[in-house]
Amino acid sequence: MPKFNEVKLPPRILICGEPAAGKTGALAQLANAGYRLMIHDFDQNSRVIGSYLTDKAAEVYLNTYAAAKITGTNLFAGSGQASKQALSEMRRFCSMLEQWKVAGAEDLGACTSWTAHDVVVIDSGTFLGELLLLAAQEDPETKKDGRSLYNVAGKYYGAILDHLTGNKMGATVIMLTHLMQTGEKDDQGKIVGKARDVPVGVGEKFSKKMQTYFSDIWHLEVDRAGNRTFKTAATDKASLRTSAPSLIKGAEPYDLASMLDRLTGSK
């Protein structure tokens, strides 16, 4: 049986935050520190990091997916049903998670060959969920009973997270996502009592579950003065955590590269 430190996986990090909190911009800090980025862009907004990169930044590879940001509407380019195009995009995404290979362009090898200094980024988990909801409409289970849509999409999401956080993935994994409030609800569906923040995945049930996949769950907060801080300690409002409490403080400055350096043992 292998020793504990021999089976330790690279970091699996879930970063939550409000829109425009700086989640995507923080990725440039990683490239500038020498981490090679493989970004799966569902928000179609990741190109903004280009303005933050230095001349000495490591390679940043970007693959953008057509995704409907309003579920059930056909916002895809071209003709055909949005659900069928979403299914095709989902399959392309899963293939890229196993081996980043673009026809006529780069081939970065299989996921088993990547290291902790290769960072697979999902930007964002929110719109990945929207894509999976559309793709799930083509599933036989959903076609048989439309009420199973969120259950099927949740199964898709779970399978993807199994791969991203499993031992075949040699890279560091960072998923960016937004937040939703959950809690006990009244007959009208309004939250009563104490509300809690959970990351957005697909539907409330799976969004609560997706936290269990990640070793680190951080909340990027912005105060009234515009100062950004990574919160990593659990509160009565959010289930945050870090896999290395001796290395990562409960509140960290806006320096994602420094935090990852400590988790990977780079510094």
Side-chain angles (χ1 to χ4, degrees):
M1 179 177 293
K3 296 180 181 179
F4 176 77
N5 59 1
E6 292 176 343
V7 297
K8 185 178 180 180
L9 296 173
R12 277 68 170 108
I13 305 169
L14 180 64
I15 299 178
C16 312
E18 301 296 334
K23 301 184 298 298
T24 303
L27 299 176
Q29 299 171 350
L30 299 179
N32 290 337
Y35 290 92
R36 181 174 70 166
L37 304 185
M38 292 174 276
I39 304 175
H40 297 274
D41 179 17
F42 294 91
D43 289 21
Q44 300 184 22
N45 189 44
S46 294
R47 295 185 184 278
V48 300
I49 72 172
S51 58
Y52 299 105
L53 296 176
T54 66
D55 294 338
K56 297 181 179 180
E59 296 98 336
V60 177
Y61 296 96
L62 182 66
N63 201 45
T64 300
Y65 301 87
K69 295 187 177 182
I70 303 176
T71 304
T73 63
N74 190 351
L75 299 185
F76 288 88
S79 59
Q81 292 182 307
S83 58
K84 290 183 178 179
Q85 293 176 344
L87 180 60
S88 176
E89 289 289 79
M90 181 186 74
R91 288 171 173 165
R92 182 167 70 93
F93 167 57
C94 291
S95 178
M96 292 285 285
L97 288 181
E98 293 185 296
Q99 179 175 0
W100 185 290
K101 186 176 182 179
V102 179
E106 68 270 8
D107 183 349
L108 306 184
C111 64
T112 53
S113 69
W114 301 335
T115 73
H117 275 76
D118 297 310
V119 184
V120 172
V121 179
I122 311 301
D123 187 11
S124 67
T126 306
F127 292 128
L128 169 59
E130 299 289 351
L131 180 72
L132 298 182
L133 278 170
L134 278 173
Q137 293 180 20
E138 293 297 312
D139 192 279
E141 183 177 342
T142 304
K143 287 183 177 293
K144 184 178 180 180
D145 184 354
R147 294 173 297 181
S148 65
L149 176 64
Y150 278 84
N151 182 52
V152 172
K155 289 180 180 178
Y156 289 175
Y157 215 130
I160 289 168
L161 292 183
D162 280 338
H163 176 74
L164 280 169
T165 61
N167 57 15
K168 290 184 178 179
M169 177 59 69
T172 293
V173 173
I174 296 179
M175 176 175 281
L176 310 180
T177 193
H178 302 94
L179 290 165
M180 65 183 292
Q181 286 194 328
T182 185
E184 185 179 349
K185 298 178 181 178
D186 61 18
D187 294 339
Q188 305 299 317
K190 295 182 179 179
I191 296 176
V192 295
K194 188 71 174 180
R196 290 183 62 82
D197 291 332
V198 297
V200 177
V202 57
E204 185 173 339
K205 183 178 180 180
F206 184 82
S207 293
K208 292 178 180 179
K209 179 183 177 182
M210 71 182 291
Q211 300 173 90
T212 64
Y213 287 89
F214 294 88
S215 59
D216 293 77
I217 304 175
W218 304 339
H219 184 190
L220 180 55
E221 296 184 356
V222 186
D223 65 21
R224 292 182 178 179
N227 300 308
R228 294 179 168 88
T229 304
F230 284 106
K231 298 295 182 65
T232 71
T235 68
D236 62 347
K237 192 176 181 181
S239 299
L240 307 178
R241 63 171 173 263
T242 174
S243 59
S246 62
L247 302 175
I248 305 295
K249 298 177 182 178
E252 287 275 349
Y254 185 57
D255 188 345
L256 186 57
S258 172
M259 298 171 74
L260 191 55
D261 280 345
R262 280 173 269 160
L263 285 183
T264 60
S266 299
K267 291 183 181 180

